Amino acid sequence: VEASVLQDIDHVGIAVADLDAAVRDYSAALGIEPIHREVVEDQGVEEVLFRAGSSYIQLVAALGPETPVGRFLQKRGEGLHHIGYRVTDIASALDRLRDAGVPLVDESPRHGSRGTTVAFVHPRGFRGVLVELVQEGPTATSR
Ligand code: CO
């Protein structure tokens, strides 16, 4: 495993109850328009991205109450949900975490929004913060 595969903060994920209302509030507050909107069935979410430098602000709404974000909203309300770290090689990043004994949510990478490849890592390994690894583009191993 190479020394470090961490490139950048890819995005900050914020759980919201009403996506349209949240987009209006973020647009008004920051003076920027969203650049992407996508339903990710696999994750049970609809998300909207705003660009912030080389990173994104990601507003995430649940497709239903029995989804991970739906349960998060019921339990904790709106707010910071996860941080996405952009990595050059998601497979070797997962290997590194596994070797370090960090519990994984996704044992293998899967498809994310914008055609990315992603994998979630349990908050236990990052002091209570849910982490999402993000690699640009699809990989051969993503499901
Ligand atoms: Co995310």
Side-chain angles (χ1 to χ4, degrees), residues 11 58 82 120 132:
H11 64 272
Q58 181 187 73
H82 65 275
F120 283 91
E132 178 183 11

Side-chain angles (χ1 to χ4, degrees), residues 110-132:
R110 55 167 146 166
H111 299 297
S113 63
R114 295 186 305 110
T116 58
T117 302
V118 304
F120 283 91
V121 184
H122 200 279
R124 215 156 47 225
F126 288 98
R127 293 297 189 275
V129 178
L130 177 63
V131 164
E132 178 183 11

Side-chain angles (χ1 to χ4, degrees), residues 55-66:
S55 306
Y56 301 96
I57 300 163
Q58 181 187 73
L59 304 181
V60 193
L63 293 180
E66 294 309 315

